[in-house]
Amino acid sequence: MPRFTYLYDTYCGWCYAGAPVISALVEAGAEVEMHHRWLFAPEHAQTMGSGLGRMIEQHDARAEQLSGQPFSETYRENILRAPEERLESTLTAQAAALVHDQGAKVEMALARRLQKARWEEGRSAQDAAYIEQILSDEFDTSTALSDASDAARAMAQETERLMHQYGLSGVPVLIMERDETLYNIALSDYYNRPEEITTLLR
């Protein structure tokens, strides 16, 4: 059976677009190694009022059209059109680090829950209390997000190393290894039929 490596960031819109595909792969029992990138680090964070919100809205419209994933009006109002809202994935990187050792199924389930909080519920990227509530109530994890800072940073560094190794620049990335050969799988090929990703397991 092939092995997979998935590089992602919870708050990457295209990762959200491809999330049902990765979930289908994980739920089918595939061996998937998850690596959160921490794409939107604090040292590079921008606010939506800098013009970032308008740019993201255009990209989101394209992702929604292609994937069918919902980008709600609540999200647009609370996030993209909130001038002081920062695009930063520190808290979700820490959340991913807290559950990483529980395996891909749990880490992907958390990613999808946090994506729902953002793109459907319109929750801020800086709402630590809400993320910790999700971790506690739905994933039986009561550790504070801040306690995972070092682990999140180490995970991000490993992801950057892999991206350099594979000659990649952006996420999401799904690498399949079969018979010692690597394949870069295009998630967009499965947007409208995510369950068909499981044909790669045959």
Side-chain angles (χ1 to χ4, degrees):
M1 182 178 290
R3 298 170 61 248
F4 297 87
T5 301
Y6 181 53
L7 313 180
Y8 77 106
D9 186 287
T10 306
Y11 282 167
C12 157
W14 291 104
C15 297
Y16 172 56
V21 181
I22 302 300
S23 289
L25 188 65
V26 170
E27 292 298 327
E31 182 181 347
V32 181
E33 185 176 354
M34 305 270 292
H35 291 274
H36 194 284
R37 186 181 179 190
W38 202 339
L39 179 62
F40 308 109
E43 58 266 30
H44 305 301
Q46 300 179 56
T47 61
M48 297 301 171
S50 66
L52 180 65
R54 290 191 299 274
M55 182 185 72
I56 291 175
E57 194 161 353
Q58 295 174 352
H59 287 287
D60 287 349
R62 180 64 173 160
E64 184 172 30
Q65 178 187 27
L66 291 174
S67 69
Q69 286 281 78
F71 291 75
S72 73
E73 183 62 23
T74 302
Y75 154 71
R76 286 189 284 271
E77 286 296 328
N78 291 358
I79 305 299
L80 299 185
R81 298 168 191 163
E84 300 306 315
E85 174 70 18
R86 287 162 56 88
L87 178 59
E88 183 184 336
S89 52
T90 296
L91 298 180
T92 52
Q94 293 169 350
L98 284 175
V99 303
H100 180 71
D101 289 345
Q102 297 180 49
K105 185 174 290 188
V106 173
E107 187 170 340
M108 193 62 210
L110 175 62
R112 295 206 69 183
R113 179 63 183 89
L114 296 178
Q115 288 165 345
K116 178 180 179 180
R118 181 171 182 80
W119 281 288
E120 297 182 38
E121 300 172 6
R123 289 281 183 167
S124 170
Q126 309 312 311
D127 195 341
Y130 189 65
I131 294 174
E132 287 179 341
Q133 180 183 336
I134 289 173
L135 284 164
S136 176
D137 294 350
E138 303 178 31
F139 294 88
D140 197 27
T141 299
S142 58
T143 306
L145 288 167
S146 58
D147 289 346
S149 294
D150 291 344
R153 184 68 66 182
M155 185 184 298
Q157 290 172 348
E158 174 62 11
T159 305
E160 292 296 334
R161 185 192 69 77
L162 289 170
M163 295 192 73
H164 179 75
Q165 175 185 330
Y166 296 142
L168 302 166
S169 59
V171 291
V173 173
L174 180 65
I175 301 294
M176 178 177 73
E177 180 181 349
R178 186 195 295 273
D179 299 328
E180 300 184 353
T181 301
L182 299 179
Y183 303 86
N184 192 341
I185 306 300
L187 298 185
S188 57
D189 290 347
Y190 302 93
Y191 278 162
N192 298 316
R193 44 192 179 89
E195 68 285 348
E196 292 195 16
I197 190 75
T198 60
T199 60
L200 296 176
L201 302 179
R202 298 172 184 168

